[in-house]
Amino acid sequence: MTSATAPVPVDEVDLYAESAILEPYGHYRRLRDLGPVVYLKRHGVYALPRYEETRAALTDDDTFRNAGGVSLNDHYNNLILGSTFASDGDEHARLRAITGGRLTPRALRPMRGRVEATADAVVEALVEQGSFDAVGDLARAMVLAVVPDFLGIPDDGREHLIDWAAANFNCHGPLNDRARASLPLSSAMAAYAERLVEERSARPDGVAHCVLDALDRGEVGRDQAVSLMIDYLVPSLDTTVTGLTAAIDLFARHPDQWDLIRQDPALIPGAFREVLRLETPVRAFGRRVARDTEIGRACLPAGSQVLVMFASANRDERAWDRPEEFDVCRESLGHLGFGYGAHGCAGQGLARLETHAVLAALARRVARFEVRGSRRTVNNVMRAFDSLPTRAVPAG
Ligand code: HEM
């Protein structure tokens, strides 16, 4: 039981069961209706399903700590200790600054032309082809053409990046069969990161080289350099692939919203925010409670774990008008699809650059999308598609 000053509602759901992964939104609604904090008995964590409390927890990173708490199992929490993602406070700020310079809007600006040209080439070929898989042929092709070069990693190993990333996201869940089955692939990515550091095979101008430079300056040790490599290998590809495919799926189901984009491409940045709000790729991560704290009159004891539910918060009826509706004109600046606060997504500028470029290239060429026979991925953290068979009807 909990040591709450007011009773904390308890829910029996396994949010990591296949059925809940495939159809999460009914569960999220029930949890939000139960209260601002709900104890998930199956996982031994306090869930924050509503917007206000999730955002507040993300802002209060003194109380809600990443080290030892982002994953729902101790095995993986221990493995990733020392990374940017699994560190806190000054140490987190120090680690984030090592690579941060490469990800600022100013640093990304010179890439814009190249990214737009890549998007244009990928989209032109697919529209000519007519039918394609929006996961493999569009989103992965685009992201793989941009991100590995941006990270500055060698060609060898790039073919595994997507599978490695998916495996690591699985490992962030509870230690269920899916997480256990993913541990070997997660180790393969760790071995690749170790080789990057050992062989110093990172290219001179990428994010990975910033890590080697920090190693040379003595700012990080060898093991921490490996962790910093993994910090970027895991979240930099599949997340963007997922956001982009979610966009195609939503525009196929809402042709009126696609018409608005085609008429006014200036809506694209807001439209992509709306995609991340409604079909949030990263469903949830954990936090460790550093000291006894109260949320909505419930006392969360020091040492307990909290689940920050980005995807549920983004559909909270208390925060959003018509939350289930896809509305590209909505003011969705406050969405939590990139997280929020100290650990808010470090790569969001790059993700926006890539996705906006693809949507703009599509808006110039495609009148509407038809999607048939899509298949969802079953992953502990990501809400993604395995395949999204798409027909692009060319603009007249
Ligand atoms: C649409 C694409 C993306 C989505 C939806 C996304 C989502 C997120 C979310 C929700 C978090 C915060 C996790 C938390 O607070 O617990 C996060 C953190 C992070 N993301 Fe992204 N991400 C995307 C793209 C990228 C890209 C392209 C990169 C790298 C180039 C990246 C690198 C990172 C890193 C390094 C962190 C950890 C930041 C920290 O702990 O300080 N992400 N991302």
Side-chain angles (χ1 to χ4, degrees), residues 27-146:
H27 293 297
Y28 294 168
R29 194 176 314 115
R30 184 184 69 256
L31 296 177
R32 287 194 301 269
D33 286 346
L34 279 170
V37 188
V38 179
Y39 188 70
L40 300 182
K41 205 171 160 188
R42 299 285 287 270
H43 309 306
V45 300
Y46 293 93
L48 304 183
R50 295 184 184 171
Y51 181 87
E52 195 185 316
E53 291 75 15
T54 300
R55 196 171 191 270
L58 293 170
T59 313
D60 182 2
D61 55 311
D62 281 342
T63 307
F64 299 95
R65 314 284 279 181
N66 277 31
V70 275
S71 307
L72 260 66
N73 69 85
D74 288 341
H75 177 76
Y76 200 65
N77 272 327
N78 289 333
L79 274 182
I80 62 173
L81 275 180
S83 63
T84 313
F85 189 37
S87 59
D88 295 293
D90 293 346
E91 174 68 352
H92 168 256
R94 185 180 80 80
L95 295 177
R96 188 153 160 157
I98 287 172
T99 47
R102 288 285 153 100
L103 292 145
T104 62
R106 177 195 278 234
L108 293 172
R109 210 165 294 136
M111 284 178 66
R112 177 179 294 276
R114 202 160 11 105
V115 171
E116 287 175 352
T118 305
D120 219 50
V122 170
V123 165
E124 187 179 19
L126 292 179
V127 174
E128 215 172 286
Q129 198 176 304
S131 295
F132 52 89
D133 178 7
V135 178
D137 303 330
L138 175 68
R140 284 185 187 165
M142 173 68 191
V143 166
L144 284 169
V146 173

Side-chain angles (χ1 to χ4, degrees), residues 58 66 70 84-87 92 96 103 147 150-151 207 231-232 235-237 239-241 243-244 272 276 281-282 285-287 308 310 336-340 342-348 350-351 354-355:
L58 293 170
N66 277 31
V70 275
T84 313
F85 189 37
S87 59
H92 168 256
R96 188 153 160 157
L103 292 145
V147 177
F150 176 76
L151 296 180
V207 171
D231 262 328
Y232 281 91
S236 59
L237 295 121
T239 47
T240 310
V241 169
L244 204 43
F272 189 62
L276 296 182
V282 178
F285 275 128
R287 294 290 192 265
V308 282
F310 310 111
L336 302 179
F338 283 124
Y340 188 76
H343 289 276
C345 180
Q348 56 186 286
L350 179 63
E354 295 171 82
T355 50

Side-chain angles (χ1 to χ4, degrees), residues 376-387:
R376 282 235 171 245
T377 311
V378 182
N379 185 283
N380 279 340
V381 171
M382 297 291 288
R383 177 163 173 79
F385 286 103
D386 273 342
S387 80

Side-chain angles (χ1 to χ4, degrees), residues 2-9 35-39 46-48 53 64 289 291-301 304:
T2 70
S3 58
T5 53
V8 177
V37 188
V38 179
Y39 188 70
Y46 293 93
L48 304 183
E53 291 75 15
F64 299 95
V289 179
R291 54 186 170 226
D292 290 357
T293 188
E294 265 188 38
I295 298 185
R297 289 183 50 238
C299 174
L300 310 189
S304 59

Side-chain angles (χ1 to χ4, degrees), residues 271-282:
F272 189 62
R273 284 197 295 273
E274 174 68 347
V275 169
L276 296 182
R277 184 194 68 79
L278 192 61
E279 284 293 339
T280 309
V282 178

